[in-house]
């Protein structure tokens, strides 16, 4: 997500009256210059100044001169865009993981400066500014979690928490940020919180965040819902990998339930046939994970539930679909009689 604005050269940080802001601007200017000239940047320095930029006590609202706020916004935007482009380069095996982490941390630093600047500008539209910062933060948090930069993800999500709270008191302009978009932003936020909690090995917190997310999921589009299904399925798979199918089953149940939650109208929003195939594969993976867990328990009630899941998949995707036949084989094998389903599966694989 590129952050666009006309280029505006910042005045020298030495003329900035606010000392914390001047310090950040000085480092940001050096960072920008080093990247432009191919110089080295100390990773520890970036870490230090990122933490300073994340200290809200340094920049109470209304304490910065407008010119300083503009400087922070401008250079923060440029740093975000610079490292977004660097991150978008081809990262082959020869380019270290630390380089990607550095790009993500630099984007976080730029995001924090941009946020300080926008929040300090009274002439800026508060509703538009917070909505903009929320969506930048969501995009950053998602990629940080994907690449396991959990420290950066935590900071970005904490800033989003603040912006969501701030936006609740803003009056949206006509045609601007509306209630459905707000609900969707909240849902995306909680989905990322679920993923982060899981990566932190805090399944209790992930469960709490899922409960929060369900208050907003009726408003999300199909793509976002499939992201939620994917995260829930990954959690289930990670628990199964630890040989604990009983604990994994609730996560697969949630994933399967969410995958069925979209309406016929939502299906029309998927767009291309490739989107539809991806969506179906996500659904099938959630159903398959649940069936495997339940079949592995090999007791009467779980097997009945597994059979119900298979029947729902048959109605949704067709009885002859390979993935559905594999589910049926798993259930019938657990019941001790997989002959018919196995024959159908082999015919399907050979056809």
């Amino acid at each position: 997500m590129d952050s666009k604005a006309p280029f505006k050269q910042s005045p020298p940080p030495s003329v900035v009256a606010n000392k914390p802001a001047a310090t950040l601007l000085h480092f940001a200017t050096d960072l920008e210059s080093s990247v432009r000239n191919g110089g080295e940047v100390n990773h520890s320095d970036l870490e230090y100044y990122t933490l300073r930029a994340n200290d809200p006590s340094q920049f109470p609202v209304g304490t910065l001169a407008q010119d300083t706020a503009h400087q922070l916004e401008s250079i923060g935007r440029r740093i975000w865009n610079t490292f977004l482009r660097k991150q978008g380069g081809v990262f082959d095996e020869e380019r270290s993981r630390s380089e990607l982490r550095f790009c993500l941390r630099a984007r976080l630093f730029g995001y924090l400066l941009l946020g300080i600047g926008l929040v300090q500008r009274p002439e800026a539209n508060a509703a538009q500014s917070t909505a903009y910062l929320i969506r930048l933060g969501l995009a950053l948090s998602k990629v940080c979690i994907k690449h396991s930069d959990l420290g950066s993800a935590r900071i970005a999500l904490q800033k989003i928490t603040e912006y969501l709270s701030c936006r609740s008191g803003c009056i949206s302009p006509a045609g601007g940020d509306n209630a459905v978009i707000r609900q969707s932003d909240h849902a995306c936020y909680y989905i990322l919180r679920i993923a982060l909690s899981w990566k932190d090995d805090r399944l209790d917190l992930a469960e709490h965040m899922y409960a929060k997310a369900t208050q907003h999921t009726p408003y999300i589009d199909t793509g976002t819902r499939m992201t939620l299904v994917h995260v829930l399925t990954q959690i289930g798979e990670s628990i199964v990998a630890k040989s604990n199918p009983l604990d994994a089953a609730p996560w697969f149940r949630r994933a399967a339930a969410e995958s069925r939650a979209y309406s016929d109208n939502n299906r029309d929003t998927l767009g291309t046939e490739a989107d539809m195939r991806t969506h179906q594969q996500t659904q099938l993976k959630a159903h398959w994970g649940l069936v495997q867990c339940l079949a592995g328990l090999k007791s009467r009630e779980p097997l009945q539930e597994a059979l119900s899941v298979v029947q729902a998949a048959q109605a949704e995707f067709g009885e002859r679909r390979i993935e559905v036949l594999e589910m049926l084989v798993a259930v019938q094998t657990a019941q001790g009689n997989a002959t018919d389903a196995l024959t159908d599966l082999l015919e399907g694989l050979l056809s």
Side-chain angles (χ1 to χ4, degrees), residues 81-126:
N81 288 335
T82 295
F83 284 94
L84 178 62
R85 288 190 292 270
K86 283 178 67 67
Q87 178 193 322
V90 178
F91 281 86
D92 54 34
E93 294 181 359
E94 296 180 359
R95 298 181 71 175
S96 67
R97 187 182 185 87
S98 65
E99 185 174 355
L100 176 57
R101 291 284 188 91
F102 182 76
C103 286
L104 293 174
R105 184 52 64 119
R107 282 180 65 191
L108 174 63
F109 178 65
Y111 173 66
L112 294 172
L113 297 188
L114 175 58
I116 294 169
L118 274 178
V119 169
Q120 293 280 348
R121 286 175 49 198
E123 79 276 13
N125 182 287

Side-chain angles (χ1 to χ4, degrees), residues 110-271:
Y111 173 66
L112 294 172
L113 297 188
L114 175 58
I116 294 169
L118 274 178
V119 169
Q120 293 280 348
R121 286 175 49 198
E123 79 276 13
N125 182 287
Q128 290 180 348
S129 295
T130 52
Y132 170 69
L133 289 168
I134 286 166
R135 282 160 210 155
L136 277 186
L138 290 172
L140 178 60
S141 300
K142 184 175 182 179
V143 72
C144 287
I145 292 172
K146 177 181 177 181
H147 294 290
S148 297
D149 184 0
L150 304 187
S152 293
R154 288 188 198 96
I155 294 174
L157 285 168
Q158 181 55 45
K159 295 307 295 184
I160 297 170
T161 304
E162 296 172 16
Y163 295 139
L164 287 171
S165 176
C166 176
R167 187 172 65 172
S168 65
C170 296
I171 299 175
S172 300
D177 191 27
N178 59 50
V180 173
I181 293 175
R182 291 184 180 213
Q183 294 280 3
S184 180
D185 286 345
H186 272 86
C188 292
Y189 165 77
Y190 284 119
I191 290 169
L192 291 171
R193 282 288 189 189
I194 293 167
L196 179 61
S197 300
W198 163 52
K199 294 261 187 173
D200 279 335
D201 202 23
R202 287 290 310 277
L203 291 181
D204 57 331
L205 187 55
E207 190 167 357
H208 174 69
M209 292 299 172
Y210 175 69
K212 293 276 192 180
T214 56
Q215 300 173 25
H216 306 281
T217 49
Y219 303 92
I220 61 178
D221 59 32
T222 303
T224 303
R225 188 177 299 281
M226 288 302 102
T227 298
L228 174 58
V229 173
H230 180 66
V231 170
L232 296 173
T233 302
Q234 282 188 309
I235 294 174
E237 289 173 340
S238 70
I239 298 173
V240 168
K242 298 176 182 177
S243 302
N244 199 345
L246 185 61
D247 290 342
W251 292 99
F252 283 121
R253 282 194 193 97
R254 294 174 183 126
E258 291 294 341
S259 74
R260 294 191 298 266
Y262 74 99
S263 66
D264 290 338
N265 289 334
N266 292 131
R267 299 185 194 202
D268 296 335
T269 67
L270 285 172

